[in-house]
Amino acid sequence: MFPNKKILSTAISTCLLASIAFSVQAEQTELEQLVVTATRTPTPIHNIGSSVTVISEAEIEKKQFQTLSDALKHVPGLRVVELGGRGSQTSVFARGTNSNHTLVLVDGIEINDPSSPTGAFDFAHFLLDDVESIEVVRGSQSVLYGADAIGSVIQIRTRQGQGRLKTRAKVEAGTKSTHHETLALSGSNGDFNYSITGGLFESDGDSIATEKRLAPGSIKDDDGYNSKVVSARMGWDISSQLSSRVTARYIDSDTDIDGGFDFSGNTAEDLDAENKTRQLYLGAELAGNFFSGMWQPTLLFTHTDVERKNRNDRQDPFGTLDRSNYDGEKNKISLQNDLYFIHNNLITVGYEFEEEKMQADGFTDFGGFIQTQLTDETRQNRAVYIQDQITLTDRLNTTLGVRHDNTDDFDSETTYRITANYQLTDSSRVRAAHGTGFRAPSLYELFGFTPTNFGSAYMGNPDLDAETSENWEVGIDQSWFNHRLDSSVTIFKNDIDDLITTVFLPSFDSTSVNQNKADIHGAEAVFSLAATSQLDFNLNYTFTRTEDDNDQALLRRPKHLANFDVEYRPTNKLTLTGTLNYIGSRKDVDGVGQRVRMGSYTVVNLAANYQLNTNTRLFGRVENLADKEYEAAYGFQGTGITGIVGVEIANY
């Protein structure tokens, strides 16, 4: 199975841009950089056959990313869709796959929401105040991570304390009554280390509704947002052979939302509709090192609890009254064994047990049409996996892996993945990967029950099969002019079967069925140019073509994505960055469910950092510099121009 000429010509033409630019993440500039997510063990990035992007703490600081979605917008292959401004529901489509095909972890804790109708993660509320790095592995990773990893795995790693007590305080404020405060403490004492961070973000925001799609009689009203986060990470080296770690994260956020589409197909403003979200993530890890390092087991307990409440008081007799509640919980225990018994082989054997719970109650009254939430379900999954990382020669590395998942409520799934990485020369390498993946039906798709007062209902389908995929990728990474110019091109293909969709029955009821499939193929190109000792250019471009059963493009997935940035350091204290995010045209659905074409748009951001002295940093940025009016999704207005200034004081 070979890529068609259109993909090849797109990739080749993009390579010609290497003389002027590069990728935001500069995947090949740090050849000895270690990443964990791709193999579940620390591995040099140049030995990995998968496509990996690492967003470092320095990158986050220079470009002043506030949220996880800010940072991911600039990653090759990822399309980030925000249904409005800050705090609005945010999805990520990785290499054209669905938003629920990406698995998200923080310090090993899976944080996808079991109470979401599709099991997807909402990227809107994750602040980066305590983040050390973000690792994005594209392509199916089900062998190591099980369900929900068809498109990519995103892992957030938080800071570990070390050395004497360090304190850090940051305050920033700007337009739309926006302010963001952070206070952090970290350090270590003997065998004990600690890191504690608290953050607060508030903004009056913009209206979610666009002017041209505002429902008759509605008046635009700003939709505000506030989010509070407290996180902690503590570690203890119990002995020379045993260490432990505990992590915790609590997020409390409130988002003003609008009333959705009315009967005219336009957005109805709603002055008091809001979504309240409470998220708790806990992890406890015990790691060993026995038999002179030949056996390194890791025992991990994790707990995820996501509560969502929708609240809306009726403004008129035909308005919406909402009192719906959702609670998703996931408990997991895993044992990973890294074995170094065979020369040039790292064998990883693991076992996982997971229990998911979902509870939904309350009601939504749409002017007399009432939906009631009546779902309370639990399921369990058991999985075993094995992976062998083989160093065949000094230049050739491969991985072979297989996994078996056995879940209570659908047939068991077996997945595999093979990767290879060959160092052609000191400045050139080729890599390839092939594997399978799956997404388990969500609890709501299986067992959800939402009756109406007219006698109809949504009823889950307990006979659903898992969505399955088969994918491959081939890439080449090349450095030029003593690493002044780095380039990378990857061609990928992903075939997905048994996609789950909702259908309406002749009885006016609805349910979920395995009905659709998707064929996805494309190319990613990544470049970096160190033009001078003070000036860097970065570019990445993604071409993605998606087709469903009816040869129609999948919604909200553009063929063309591009990110360009420039970094200029006029002095050793001042850093200036500019970023450009281009989203090509794509298909969406309007307020009455008809397919429409959405035009392309470009958003430009500027940021400046000035290191006043050893302890003090001054910074400022302008988001959406041109005040571009755009819709990331039909009917949802993107954030307008925003200015921010701030100061950070730390005793590093």
Side-chain angles (χ1 to χ4, degrees):
M1 200 160 39
F2 292 94
N4 62 34
K5 293 181 180 179
K6 192 168 186 178
I7 300 178
L8 285 173
S9 62
T10 302
I12 292 170
S13 62
T14 307
C15 287
L16 297 178
L17 297 174
S19 60
I20 60 170
F22 151 37
S23 111
V24 172
Q25 273 67 46
E27 292 174 277
Q28 281 75 45
T29 56
E30 298 180 66
L31 295 182
E32 294 304 319
Q33 183 177 33
L34 297 179
V35 295
V36 176
T37 310
T39 59
R40 295 189 76 127
T41 59
T43 306
I45 195 169
H46 68 278
N47 287 346
I48 292 173
S50 303
S51 296
V52 182
T53 293
V54 179
I55 306 171
S56 66
E57 181 180 355
E59 187 87 16
I60 293 169
E61 181 179 290
K62 283 187 295 186
K63 295 184 174 61
Q64 299 175 37
F65 298 141
Q66 289 182 314
T67 65
L68 181 59
S69 58
D70 288 341
L72 296 178
K73 288 176 184 177
H74 304 275
V75 174
L78 298 192
R79 158 76 163 126
V80 178
V81 179
E82 297 169 311
L83 301 186
R86 295 289 186 195
S88 301
Q89 181 179 331
T90 303
S91 304
V92 168
F93 300 87
R95 285 185 171 173
T97 59
N98 288 343
S99 58
N100 55 4
H101 291 161
T102 288
L103 181 66
V104 187
L105 305 97
V106 54
D107 291 328
I109 307 168
E110 294 183 9
I111 60 178
N112 288 45
D113 183 2
S115 71
S116 167
T118 65
F121 177 69
D122 186 352
F123 290 81
H125 311 298
F126 203 104
L127 297 175
L128 302 180
D129 295 326
D130 62 338
V131 171
E132 181 177 78
S133 67
I134 304 167
E135 297 180 3
V136 182
V137 186
R138 298 183 291 285
S140 177
Q141 308 299 319
S142 287
V143 164
L144 295 178
Y145 297 99
D148 309 329
I150 286 177
S152 70
V153 171
I154 298 171
Q155 175 129 229
I156 305 111
R157 300 198 172 279
T158 60
R159 297 188 185 105
Q160 175 179 312
Q162 55 183 344
R164 63 181 179 83
L165 172 65
K166 300 178 181 66
T167 59
R168 178 172 57 92
K170 183 174 72 173
V171 178
E172 55 183 326
T175 56
K176 305 170 188 174
S177 300
T178 301
H179 62 93
H180 180 195
E181 295 82 34
T182 304
L183 179 62
L185 306 172
S186 64
S188 62
N189 185 1
D191 296 325
F192 179 75
N193 63 76
Y194 57 91
S195 178
I196 303 171
T197 304
L200 168 66
F201 178 90
E202 288 188 333
S203 178
D204 286 349
D206 297 311
S207 174
I208 294 174
T210 63
E211 192 73 45
K212 61 183 177 182
R213 308 197 198 283
L214 196 61
S218 288
I219 300 174
K220 290 193 72 171
D221 175 67
D222 290 341
D223 295 304
Y225 173 65
N226 72 79
S227 182
K228 298 175 282 292
V229 59
V230 178
S231 65
R233 171 173 172 159
M234 300 182 183
W236 178 32
D237 294 331
I238 301 171
S239 69
S240 60
Q241 295 181 310
L242 204 59
S243 63
S244 62
R245 185 189 72 192
V246 176
T247 57
R249 190 178 199 89
Y250 178 73
I251 302 171
D252 184 329
S253 57
D254 294 335
T255 307
D256 291 340
I257 58 177
D258 284 328
F261 298 110
D262 71 354
F263 293 109
S264 70
N266 294 302
T267 305
E269 279 281 6
D270 199 314
L271 302 181
D272 64 353
E274 63 178 336
N275 174 266
K276 300 175 179 287
T277 303
R278 309 292 180 264
Q279 304 171 55
L280 176 65
Y281 307 120
L282 300 172
E285 178 184 283
L286 192 63
N289 190 323
F290 305 107
F291 305 113
S292 301
M294 290 191 294
W295 175 37
Q296 298 180 15
T298 302
L299 182 63
L300 178 64
F301 301 87
T302 65
H303 172 75
T304 295
D305 191 355
V306 181
E307 297 180 9
R308 294 178 290 117
K309 299 180 183 294
N310 294 330
R311 294 293 181 264
N312 191 5
D313 292 328
R314 180 171 286 147
Q315 301 294 310
D316 58 70
F318 299 101
T320 299
L321 177 65
D322 198 347
R323 293 290 186 274
S324 53
N325 309 296
Y326 306 86
D327 187 5
E329 185 176 322
K330 182 183 294 187
N331 297 296
K332 188 169 186 176
I333 178 172
S334 63
L335 176 62
Q336 176 179 324
N337 299 274
D338 299 325
L339 308 173
Y340 295 81
F341 293 109
I342 304 175
H343 181 62
N344 288 336
N345 285 251
L346 168 51
I347 300 174
T348 299
V349 181
Y351 171 80
E352 297 177 349
F353 172 81
E354 178 181 274
E355 182 178 72
E356 287 184 308
K357 300 178 182 179
M358 175 195 174
Q359 184 175 19
D361 57 43
F363 67 93
T364 306
D365 183 346
F366 300 98
F369 179 79
I370 303 173
Q371 287 184 333
T372 305
Q373 301 294 336
L374 295 173
T375 306
D376 188 357
E377 294 292 339
T378 302
R379 73 171 171 202
Q380 296 178 342
N381 181 67
R382 298 160 183 82
V384 292
Y385 63 88
I386 182 170
Q387 174 186 261
D388 191 3
Q389 299 178 60
I390 309 170
T391 304
L392 294 172
T393 71
D394 291 341
R395 293 184 178 272
L396 179 59
N397 301 276
T398 65
T399 64
L400 308 172
V402 64
R403 178 188 181 101
H404 183 76
D405 286 82
N406 187 6
T407 307
D408 288 344
D409 42 41
F410 63 92
D411 291 340
S412 60
E413 292 290 334
T414 300
T415 52
Y416 67 88
R417 184 167 174 83
I418 304 168
T419 72
N421 178 81
Y422 184 68
Q423 197 76 33
L424 292 169
T425 68
D426 291 342
S427 59
S428 178
R429 71 176 178 128
V430 292
R431 50 186 168 77
H434 173 71
T436 57
F438 78 100
R439 181 187 82 86
S442 71
L443 283 168
Y444 187 78
E445 290 167 337
L446 288 164
F447 308 114
F449 183 49
T450 307
T452 74
N453 59 329
F454 284 82
S456 60
Y458 169 85
M459 294 174 287
N461 180 359
D463 296 324
L464 286 173
D465 294 325
E467 300 176 349
T468 59
S469 74
E470 181 176 4
N471 66 89
W472 60 259
E473 63 178 87
V474 178
I476 182 168
D477 305 331
Q478 177 71 51
S479 294
W480 315 79
F481 313 119
N482 197 26
H483 294 289
R484 291 282 300 276
L485 174 64
D486 293 322
S487 63
S488 173
V489 175
T490 304
I491 300 172
F492 60 85
K493 182 170 177 58
N494 200 348
D495 296 326
I496 307 175
D497 291 320
D498 291 326
L499 282 170
I500 297 171
T501 188
T502 300
V503 296
F504 293 89
L505 307 174
S507 62
F508 298 102
D509 296 317
S510 59
T511 189
S512 293
V513 296
N514 295 103
Q515 188 178 62
N516 295 337
K517 67 177 182 179
D519 296 327
I520 303 169
H521 55 259
E524 297 167 354
V526 179
F527 304 98
S528 84
L529 175 66
T532 70
S533 60
Q534 297 174 303
L535 185 63
D536 296 331
F537 294 100
N538 310 303
L539 173 73
N540 67 61
Y541 165 77
T542 305
F543 170 81
T544 309
R545 185 175 182 85
T546 63
E547 291 181 344
D548 63 12
D549 308 64
N550 301 314
D551 298 326
Q552 292 184 319
L554 300 181
L555 300 178
R556 297 179 179 175
R557 274 150 275 199
K559 283 186 180 179
H560 305 286
L561 291 172
N563 299 288
F564 176 79
D565 84 81
V566 58
E567 179 180 324
Y568 178 51
R569 301 172 295 277
T571 71
N572 59 0
K573 290 189 174 184
L574 178 63
T575 301
L576 305 174
T577 61
T579 62
L580 180 151
N581 181 227
Y582 170 80
I583 306 297
S585 62
R586 63 241 173 256
K587 294 294 185 179
D588 208 328
V589 291
D590 63 15
V592 293
Q594 297 298 311
R595 290 176 66 93
V596 294
R597 179 184 180 274
M598 304 294 293
S600 62
Y601 64 89
T602 301
V603 177
V604 177
N605 302 321
L606 298 179
N609 292 271
Y610 184 75
Q611 197 68 40
L612 185 63
N613 54 48
T614 305
N615 299 323
T616 306
R617 177 174 67 97
L618 306 177
F619 59 90
R621 68 182 177 278
V622 180
E623 301 171 0
N624 194 359
L625 177 67
D627 200 19
K628 175 72 174 179
E629 292 187 7
Y630 66 94
E631 295 171 274
Y634 182 91
F636 296 95
Q637 179 69 50
T639 301
I641 186 171
T642 305
I644 301 289
V645 294
V647 58
E648 182 180 56
I649 301 174
N651 70 335
Y652 291 169

